[in-house]
């Protein structure tokens, strides 16, 4: 269901509400002074986030390979 005539991609989910959702990956080492976001997967509100973790992990692996080359 479209939520706004100016944003045709914004959708609605009964549980999450209207708009978008984002899945974030971040560093998480207690020895780091700063934790950084390392990946982001954006989705409409109506998309299932079931596969989001796999997409985040795939992106991290791809970035790791690119850094090593």
């Amino acid at each position: 269901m479209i939520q706004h005539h100016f944003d045709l991609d914004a959708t609605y989910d009964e549980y999450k509400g209207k708009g978008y959702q984002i899945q974030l990956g971040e560093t998480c080492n207690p020895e780091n002074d700063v934790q950084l976001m390392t990946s982001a997967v954006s989705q409409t509100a109506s998309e299932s986030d079931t596969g989001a973790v796999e997409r985040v992990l795939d992106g991290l692996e791809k970035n790791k390979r690119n850094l090593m080359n």
Side-chain angles (χ1 to χ4, degrees), residues 16-45:
K16 299 174 220 166
K18 61 183 174 181
Y20 301 90
Q21 63 183 339
I22 189 164
Q23 312 300 328
L24 298 174
E26 67 177 332
T27 59
C28 56
N29 186 329
E31 295 180 14
N32 292 351
D33 290 334
V34 176
Q35 306 302 327
L36 302 173
M37 282 190 280
T38 57
S39 65
V41 173
S42 61
Q43 301 173 297
T44 63

